[in-house]
């Protein structure tokens, strides 16, 4: 079993990526607006949208389904 820190290091960026994609696609927010709301840089938002950060996690579908 993997240590919690290893799991968290992959899950949190993946969740952020899901949130970023939802805010930009469904709510039409700009990268700058999302960055300000989440307290991260616009460059990080760009990387989430280009799948450089926060790659998919196996249970992403279940998370989206439960929302």
């Amino acid at each position: 079993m993997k240590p919690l820190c290893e799991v968290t290091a992959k899950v949190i960026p993946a969740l952020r990526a899901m949130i970023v994609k939802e805010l930009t696609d469904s709510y039409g927010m700009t990268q700058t607006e999302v960055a300000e709301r989440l307290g991260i840089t616009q460059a990080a938002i760009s990387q989430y949208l280009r799948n450089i950060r926060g790659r998919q996690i196996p249970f992403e579908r279940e998370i989206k389904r439960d929302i």
Side-chain angles (χ1 to χ4, degrees), residues 2 7 9-10 26 32-35 37 43 47 52-53 57:
K2 292 184 181 181
V7 175
K10 291 183 180 182
S26 299
T32 303
E33 290 172 331
V34 174
R37 298 252 176 140
Q47 291 177 354
I52 295 172
R53 286 190 187 189
I57 49 179

Side-chain angles (χ1 to χ4, degrees), residues 11-59:
V11 171
I12 290 176
L15 291 173
R16 279 190 186 144
M18 290 172 56
I19 292 167
V20 166
K21 289 173 187 169
E22 184 72 19
L23 291 174
T24 56
D25 295 346
S26 299
Y27 294 90
M29 294 175 69
T30 66
Q31 290 183 16
T32 303
E33 290 172 331
V34 174
E36 289 172 1
R37 298 252 176 140
L38 297 181
I40 56 180
T41 65
Q42 179 275 325
I45 300 298
S46 176
Q47 291 177 354
Y48 284 125
L49 292 173
R50 291 184 291 142
N51 293 321
I52 295 172
R53 286 190 187 189
R55 302 214 165 118
Q56 282 189 335
I57 49 179
F59 52 86

